DNA sequence: CTTACGATTCCC
DNA sequence: GGAATCGTAAGG
């Protein structure tokens, strides 16, 4: 078994979201027979980030953000789910939102779950990829470093492929360049 | 209990 | 540009 078939370890996630987010690009997000290559992420900071859910403090929803790194923070917005990975050391609520992946495996199943959309729209959004990979609130708090159903495996990429742009879909701190994507 | 509001998606 | 649609959080 090669290194890239082992889940990313706790130490990988125990860093600043601005470091973890770009490093997740190219990694493989897997759930059951479905797998996608991460192509877009966003960093949400633990301190003084008005756009971060943890900014308002510790609540039932944000509880997992204050726990150990490497766990899934899944939340719901309107009819959709979004997947984040908890980063930084325990007690420091940084996280990284997975915004898009490239379908790699189980594509037929993804099409079935997503309905009648072109393949290019299968997983090109945070809510879409959760629907395609069947990730939802049941995965809240799951350990992505362990033997859970959802896992993230190391991938490969060239540093020059990374694009840094402002976050989108939020109403505060909109200009902060915390969105990372593969030029592809 | 009531109200406000989305880290979205899809359609007009 | 706007609706869908519901859990979460905050306040009375």
């Amino acid at each position: 078994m090669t290194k890239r078939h082992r889940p990313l370890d706790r130490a990988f996630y125990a860093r600043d979201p601005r470091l973890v987010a770009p490093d997740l690009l190219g990694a493989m997000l897997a759930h059951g027979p479905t797998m996608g290559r991460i192509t877009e992420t966003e960093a949400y900071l633990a301190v003084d980030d008005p756009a971060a859910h943890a900014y308002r403090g510790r609540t039932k929803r944000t509880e997992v953000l204050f726990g150990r790194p490497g766990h899934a923070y899944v939340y719901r917005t309107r009819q959709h789910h979004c997947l984040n990975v908890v980063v930084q050391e325990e007690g420091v609520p940084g996280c990284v939102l997975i915004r898009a992946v490239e379908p790699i495996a189980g594509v037929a199943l993804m099409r079935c779950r997503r309905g009648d959309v072109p393949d290019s729209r299968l997983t090109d959004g945070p809510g879409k990829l959760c629907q395609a990979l069947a990730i939802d609130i049941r995965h809240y708090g799951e350990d992505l470093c362990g033997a859970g159903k959802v896992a993230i495996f190391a991938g490969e990429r060239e540093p020059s492929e990374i694009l840094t742009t402002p976050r989108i879909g939020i109403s505060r701190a909109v200009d902060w360049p915390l969105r990372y994507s593969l030029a592809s």
Side-chain angles (χ1 to χ4, degrees), chain A residues 100-173:
Chain A
V101 304
E102 169 195 351
I104 297 292
V107 183
L109 185 51
M110 293 184 190
R111 292 193 189 101
C112 181
R113 290 167 174 164
R114 288 279 296 125
D116 185 24
V117 300
D119 281 5
S120 61
R121 298 286 152 73
L122 232 35
T123 55
D124 64 335
K128 299 179 194 178
L129 73 89
C130 280
Q131 185 181 15
L133 302 205
I135 294 169
D136 59 44
I137 206 67
R138 296 189 304 264
H139 300 101
Y140 180 93
E142 183 168 302
D143 185 4
L144 303 176
C145 300
K149 294 173 184 172
V150 180
I152 301 179
F153 302 91
E156 293 170 5
R157 60 162 171 76
E158 296 301 321
S160 59
E161 293 179 315
I162 301 179
L163 235 56
T164 305
T165 53
R167 294 183 294 193
I168 56 178
I170 54 179
S171 56
R172 291 173 294 195

Side-chain angles (χ1 to χ4, degrees), chain A residues 64-77:
Chain A
V64 72
L65 290 172
F66 293 81
R68 300 178 72 200
H71 289 249
Y73 168 47
V74 181
Y75 68 90
R76 194 183 164 144
T77 177

Side-chain angles (χ1 to χ4, degrees), chain A residues 60-95:
Chain A
K60 182 170 185 181
R61 181 178 65 152
T62 61
E63 180 71 25
V64 72
L65 290 172
F66 293 81
R68 300 178 72 200
H71 289 249
Y73 168 47
V74 181
Y75 68 90
R76 194 183 164 144
T77 177
R78 290 185 165 72
Q79 302 98 299
H80 302 277
H81 296 280
C82 292
L83 170 67
N84 297 248
V85 185
V86 178
V87 304
Q88 293 184 291
E89 63 267 37
E90 184 166 358
V92 184
C95 68

